Amino acid sequence: MEIEAKRWGFRGKQELNAASASTVRGYLNQIIARINKDNSSSVIRLGHGDPSHFPSFKTTPAAEDAIVDALRSAKHNCYAPSAGVLPARRAIADYLNRDLPCKLSPDDVYLTSGCTQAIEVAINVLSRPGANILLPRPGFPYYESCSAYNHLEVRHYDLLPEKGWEVDLDGVESIADENTVALVIINPGNPCGNVFSYEQLHKVAETARKLGILVISDEAYDNLAFGSTRYVPMRVLGSTVPVLTLGSISKRWIVPGWRLGWIVTSDPNGILKKSGVIDSIAEFLNISSDPATFIQAATPQILENTKEDFFSKIISTLRECADICYNRIEEIPSLTCPKKPEGSMFVMVKLNLSMLEDINDDMDFCLKLAEEESVIVLPGIAVRLKNWLRITFAIEHSLLQEGLGRIKGFCQRHAKKQ
């Protein structure tokens, strides 16, 4: 029997539609839906950064053993404190303290469900009526989705491809005003595969201090650097400008499904405490979810017992994959890669549409590539850089070669006739 009512007092939230559609997942879902199910070719996914499926990117047994030990101890089936269990916070502080002039304490560390929740914490804490935040273009779109949902105005500054994806600092100063709260920097770079030098980070810190804003340093890919530029964490400049570091074990340990991340305050001058940001972080965590307690409990053992040869192997594999990707892209006239990747798991590639037939833009390229070749790449519009592509190279060598070969064949078929 159908229930009748004059008026139902509930409805879906429309803001979620726009916020969800503009995420990496939102774009990839649209592209995956275009795969031709009658095509016998296997699907090759070069669109997202999760290499954990592949044998070359298997995590260390030390991490797996730590999880098993924590579970079997039967000591960690309880709720955890909202900031995270103390041994894990202490271990993360020790892990991040290497080469820091001003040492972190466990009180500077707050555990989150992956780096994604760390982003949510930062955006929620900083959002207020009329405020704005400076995001890189290209960048990681979840910042934009989260900001929009929290009514925090987004303003984009450019990363300059002709300068190795350096920050356009003049552009930063031109778009900031008295309502700007923070600047986001992603290092190593997603989606550009760049690694910022100490000199560049110092200029960013000086600019942020001049503007009176804090720096949110997204270091989800920390230490995944394999080029000539040495990786330096933004927190070394905490005495120059307050820094919120966002990180996790997801990428360096190749365990994105474990959902263990952190937000760390680097502020020896106490500015974040005086402004109420520290209290707001703690208060937000009181009303949000926590990482699983047994994952938190395993963290000290994971950090302490992982051998350097595991990290060296992952770095070596990423370097080889980046070389393959860059060299194969160089063979395709209609694609241009302005800089060989030096970090993370991605590279940005420019589409030369004037050389292609029947391709309207980057989204059209990705949809037709999925339909014709069963290869998934992310359109640049997803990371706010139209008519570019973000390609993931963290994949088995053979699949990477095959996927790039299919992209080359696709571009040849769609090449304009001379």
Side-chain angles (χ1 to χ4, degrees):
M1 178 177 170
E2 187 176 344
I3 301 173
E4 293 186 8
K6 259 188 166 181
R7 182 184 66 85
W8 295 110
F10 53 83
R11 62 180 179 180
K13 193 165 187 176
Q14 296 301 312
E15 291 93 333
L16 288 171
N17 296 339
S20 175
S22 63
T23 63
V24 169
R25 285 181 180 177
Y27 279 99
L28 289 178
N29 288 340
Q30 293 180 62
I31 293 164
I32 291 168
R34 286 288 293 270
I35 290 174
N36 182 357
K37 294 179 174 57
D38 296 327
N39 190 335
S40 60
S41 300
S42 60
V43 177
I44 298 179
R45 300 176 185 270
L46 303 179
H48 71 303
D50 181 4
S52 62
H53 304 281
F54 307 114
S56 295
F57 291 93
K58 183 173 169 36
T59 194
T60 172
E64 297 170 338
D65 291 344
I67 296 293
V68 172
D69 290 348
L71 274 173
R72 287 185 172 166
S73 74
K75 296 178 181 178
H76 310 293
N77 299 326
C78 54
Y79 293 120
S82 58
V85 300
L86 181 58
R89 292 160 60 205
R90 182 181 294 116
I92 290 167
D94 290 343
Y95 167 70
L96 298 177
N97 268 335
R98 302 166 194 176
D99 303 322
L100 279 189
C102 300
K103 300 302 183 186
L104 301 170
S105 79
D107 291 339
D108 299 316
V109 179
Y110 304 84
L111 301 191
T112 59
S113 297
C115 201
T116 299
Q117 192 193 20
I119 295 172
E120 293 171 6
V121 173
I123 298 300
N124 273 274
V125 164
L126 295 172
S127 60
R128 66 169 190 262
N132 65 76
I133 189 168
L134 310 184
L135 302 183
R137 180 173 50 211
F140 183 53
Y142 192 69
Y143 284 95
E144 192 153 345
S145 299
C146 199
S147 296
Y149 188 69
N150 284 279
H151 307 290
L152 179 62
E153 181 192 348
V154 167
R155 298 180 180 181
H156 290 106
Y157 68 87
D158 289 320
L159 301 179
L160 305 172
E162 69 276 12
K163 294 186 176 181
W165 302 108
E166 284 188 2
V167 174
D168 178 6
L169 292 171
D170 290 336
V172 167
E173 294 200 42
S174 71
I175 61 174
D177 61 19
E178 67 277 5
N179 293 314
T180 304
V181 294
L183 175 148
V184 172
I185 191 165
I186 304 174
N187 186 38
N190 174 11
C192 302
N194 61 306
V195 177
F196 291 111
S197 67
Y198 175 82
E199 290 74 23
Q200 173 78 171
L201 293 177
H202 187 265
K203 290 177 183 177
V204 169
E206 291 285 359
T207 301
R209 183 175 68 173
K210 176 181 175 183
L211 296 171
I213 61 178
L214 63 83
V215 175
I216 298 174
S217 184
D218 184 323
E219 297 172 7
Y221 293 88
D222 78 310
N223 287 288
L224 294 184
F226 41 82
S228 58
T229 306
R230 186 173 74 89
Y231 169 68
V232 178
M234 189 75 200
R235 58 187 173 273
V236 303
L237 294 161
S239 60
T240 301
V241 66
V243 177
L244 295 182
T245 297
L246 315 184
S248 76
I249 64 171
S250 297
K251 306 302 183 181
R252 197 178 187 203
W253 274 266
I254 321 294
V255 288
W258 292 9
R259 313 311 299 142
L260 191 286
W262 52 79
I263 181 166
V264 173
T265 59
S266 302
D267 181 32
N269 298 315
I271 299 167
L272 295 176
K273 181 67 176 174
K274 294 171 189 172
S275 64
V277 169
I278 300 292
D279 291 340
S280 292
I281 291 172
E283 289 158 0
F284 183 81
L285 290 172
N286 280 336
I287 59 170
S288 63
S289 59
D290 312 319
T293 307
F294 72 90
I295 298 282
Q296 297 187 42
T299 299
Q301 193 174 325
I302 293 172
L303 298 182
E304 292 163 14
N305 293 356
T306 302
K307 305 298 184 188
E308 192 59 40
D309 61 353
F310 166 73
F311 296 131
S312 297
K313 176 180 174 294
I314 294 298
I315 290 295
S316 177
T317 302
L318 285 172
R319 183 184 294 112
E320 291 168 4
C321 291
D323 288 344
I324 291 169
C325 188
Y326 182 79
N327 292 334
R328 291 302 302 271
I329 289 169
E330 289 280 279
E331 299 172 2
I332 306 173
S334 51
L335 301 182
T336 303
C337 182
K339 181 175 175 62
K340 188 175 183 178
E342 292 191 318
S344 79
M345 300 176 178
F346 309 102
V347 63
M348 286 297 289
V349 178
K350 184 172 177 57
L351 267 177
N352 299 318
L353 290 174
S354 63
M355 302 180 71
L356 296 170
E357 197 92 58
D358 302 324
I359 302 294
N360 299 321
D361 54 27
D362 53 327
M363 188 66 177
D364 191 38
F365 180 98
C366 292
L367 291 169
K368 289 175 179 173
L369 178 67
E371 187 173 11
E372 296 178 26
E373 295 289 351
S374 297
V375 175
I376 308 299
V377 298
L378 188 71
I381 191 66
V383 296
R384 310 302 177 255
L385 200 60
K386 190 172 176 59
N387 295 330
W388 287 68
L389 307 171
R390 189 192 77 170
I391 296 178
T392 305
F393 51 79
I395 186 173
E396 292 295 330
H397 290 179
S398 58
L399 287 175
L400 182 60
Q401 292 274 19
E402 183 180 349
L404 293 167
R406 292 189 201 176
I407 293 174
K408 182 177 181 179
F410 174 83
C411 290
Q412 288 173 338
R413 282 199 312 279
H414 288 272
K416 281 189 176 176
K417 304 299 184 287
Q418 297 297 325

